[in-house]
PDB file of all heavy atoms in Angstrom:
ATOM      1  N   LEU A  23     107.348 116.675 125.431  1.00  0.00           N
ATOM      2  CA  LEU A  23     107.202 116.656 123.990  1.00  0.00           C
ATOM      3  C   LEU A  23     108.634 116.306 123.455  1.00  0.00           C
ATOM      4  O   LEU A  23     108.884 115.572 122.499  1.00  0.00           O
ATOM      5  CB  LEU A  23     106.548 117.889 123.424  1.00  0.00           C
ATOM      6  CG  LEU A  23     106.535 118.062 121.926  1.00  0.00           C
ATOM      7  CD1 LEU A  23     105.783 116.732 121.365  1.00  0.00           C
ATOM      8  CD2 LEU A  23     105.870 119.197 121.554  1.00  0.00           C
ATOM      9  N   GLU A  24     109.685 117.017 123.983  1.00  0.00           N
ATOM     10  CA  GLU A  24     111.068 116.729 123.513  1.00  0.00           C
ATOM     11  C   GLU A  24     111.447 115.313 123.650  1.00  0.00           C
ATOM     12  O   GLU A  24     111.991 114.731 122.709  1.00  0.00           O
ATOM     13  CB  GLU A  24     111.918 117.597 124.238  1.00  0.00           C
ATOM     14  CG  GLU A  24     112.055 119.092 123.826  1.00  0.00           C
ATOM     15  CD  GLU A  24     113.002 119.881 124.693  1.00  0.00           C
ATOM     16  OE1 GLU A  24     114.044 119.396 125.086  1.00  0.00           O
ATOM     17  OE2 GLU A  24     112.675 120.966 124.875  1.00  0.00           O
ATOM     18  N   ASN A  25     111.064 114.637 124.652  1.00  0.00           N
ATOM     19  CA  ASN A  25     111.264 113.203 124.906  1.00  0.00           C
ATOM     20  C   ASN A  25     110.526 112.419 123.927  1.00  0.00           C
ATOM     21  O   ASN A  25     111.165 111.431 123.414  1.00  0.00           O
ATOM     22  CB  ASN A  25     110.947 112.703 126.292  1.00  0.00           C
ATOM     23  CG  ASN A  25     112.005 113.304 127.275  1.00  0.00           C
ATOM     24  OD1 ASN A  25     113.036 113.477 127.174  1.00  0.00           O
ATOM     25  ND2 ASN A  25     111.521 113.585 128.481  1.00  0.00           N
ATOM     26  N   LYS A  26     109.257 112.803 123.683  1.00  0.00           N
ATOM     27  CA  LYS A  26     108.586 112.080 122.496  1.00  0.00           C
ATOM     28  C   LYS A  26     109.310 112.104 121.138  1.00  0.00           C
ATOM     29  O   LYS A  26     109.331 111.226 120.454  1.00  0.00           O
ATOM     30  CB  LYS A  26     107.141 112.488 122.529  1.00  0.00           C
ATOM     31  CG  LYS A  26     106.264 112.265 123.688  1.00  0.00           C
ATOM     32  CD  LYS A  26     106.076 110.795 123.918  1.00  0.00           C
ATOM     33  CE  LYS A  26     104.735 110.414 123.100  1.00  0.00           C
ATOM     34  NZ  LYS A  26     104.358 109.108 123.407  1.00  0.00           N
ATOM     35  N   LEU A  27     109.689 113.313 120.849  1.00  0.00           N
ATOM     36  CA  LEU A  27     110.430 113.565 119.600  1.00  0.00           C
ATOM     37  C   LEU A  27     111.669 112.780 119.468  1.00  0.00           C
ATOM     38  O   LEU A  27     112.188 112.404 118.440  1.00  0.00           O
ATOM     39  CB  LEU A  27     110.652 115.130 119.411  1.00  0.00           C
ATOM     40  CG  LEU A  27     109.448 115.941 119.146  1.00  0.00           C
ATOM     41  CD1 LEU A  27     109.779 117.466 119.321  1.00  0.00           C
ATOM     42  CD2 LEU A  27     108.790 115.626 117.826  1.00  0.00           C
ATOM     43  N   LYS A  28     112.337 112.639 120.561  1.00  0.00           N
ATOM     44  CA  LYS A  28     113.619 111.820 120.580  1.00  0.00           C
ATOM     45  C   LYS A  28     113.224 110.308 120.226  1.00  0.00           C
ATOM     46  O   LYS A  28     114.113 109.733 119.540  1.00  0.00           O
ATOM     47  CB  LYS A  28     114.324 111.901 121.893  1.00  0.00           C
ATOM     48  CG  LYS A  28     114.960 113.226 122.075  1.00  0.00           C
ATOM     49  CD  LYS A  28     115.577 113.343 123.545  1.00  0.00           C
ATOM     50  CE  LYS A  28     116.221 114.713 123.792  1.00  0.00           C
ATOM     51  NZ  LYS A  28     116.720 114.803 125.130  1.00  0.00           N
ATOM     52  N   GLN A  29     112.124 109.882 120.734  1.00  0.00           N
ATOM     53  CA  GLN A  29     111.639 108.517 120.360  1.00  0.00           C
ATOM     54  C   GLN A  29     111.404 108.284 118.858  1.00  0.00           C
ATOM     55  O   GLN A  29     111.899 107.313 118.309  1.00  0.00           O
ATOM     56  CB  GLN A  29     110.500 108.094 121.277  1.00  0.00           C
ATOM     57  CG  GLN A  29     110.709 107.983 122.718  1.00  0.00           C
ATOM     58  CD  GLN A  29     109.528 107.828 123.496  1.00  0.00           C
ATOM     59  OE1 GLN A  29     108.494 107.319 123.007  1.00  0.00           O
ATOM     60  NE2 GLN A  29     109.610 108.153 124.771  1.00  0.00           N
ATOM     61  N   ASN A  30     110.683 109.291 118.284  1.00  0.00           N
ATOM     62  CA  ASN A  30     110.311 109.124 116.820  1.00  0.00           C
ATOM     63  C   ASN A  30     109.889 110.519 116.474  1.00  0.00           C
ATOM     64  O   ASN A  30     108.655 110.787 116.868  1.00  0.00           O
ATOM     65  CB  ASN A  30     109.398 108.095 116.702  1.00  0.00           C
ATOM     66  CG  ASN A  30     109.054 107.963 115.128  1.00  0.00           C
ATOM     67  OD1 ASN A  30     109.431 108.820 114.319  1.00  0.00           O
ATOM     68  ND2 ASN A  30     108.357 106.793 114.848  1.00  0.00           N
ATOM     69  N   GLU A  31     110.582 111.259 115.772  1.00  0.00           N
ATOM     70  CA  GLU A  31     110.111 112.685 115.335  1.00  0.00           C
ATOM     71  C   GLU A  31     109.157 112.650 114.274  1.00  0.00           C
ATOM     72  O   GLU A  31     108.564 113.747 113.914  1.00  0.00           O
ATOM     73  CB  GLU A  31     111.501 113.516 115.085  1.00  0.00           C
ATOM     74  CG  GLU A  31     112.145 113.137 113.808  1.00  0.00           C
ATOM     75  CD  GLU A  31     113.186 114.107 113.536  1.00  0.00           C
ATOM     76  OE1 GLU A  31     113.749 114.800 114.384  1.00  0.00           O
ATOM     77  OE2 GLU A  31     113.749 114.024 112.350  1.00  0.00           O
ATOM     78  N   ASN A  32     108.923 111.557 113.570  1.00  0.00           N
ATOM     79  CA  ASN A  32     108.019 111.563 112.355  1.00  0.00           C
ATOM     80  C   ASN A  32     106.612 111.126 112.807  1.00  0.00           C
ATOM     81  O   ASN A  32     105.694 111.343 112.092  1.00  0.00           O
ATOM     82  CB  ASN A  32     108.652 110.659 111.337  1.00  0.00           C
ATOM     83  CG  ASN A  32     109.993 111.151 110.772  1.00  0.00           C
ATOM     84  OD1 ASN A  32     110.004 112.333 110.497  1.00  0.00           O
ATOM     85  ND2 ASN A  32     110.880 110.191 110.642  1.00  0.00           N
TER      86      ASN A  32
END
Side-chain angles (χ1 to χ4, degrees):
L23 181 56
E24 283 178 34
N25 286 330
K26 293 291 272 189
L27 290 168
K28 286 178 188 174
Q29 293 172 20
N30 185 345
E31 69 178 17
N32 296 312

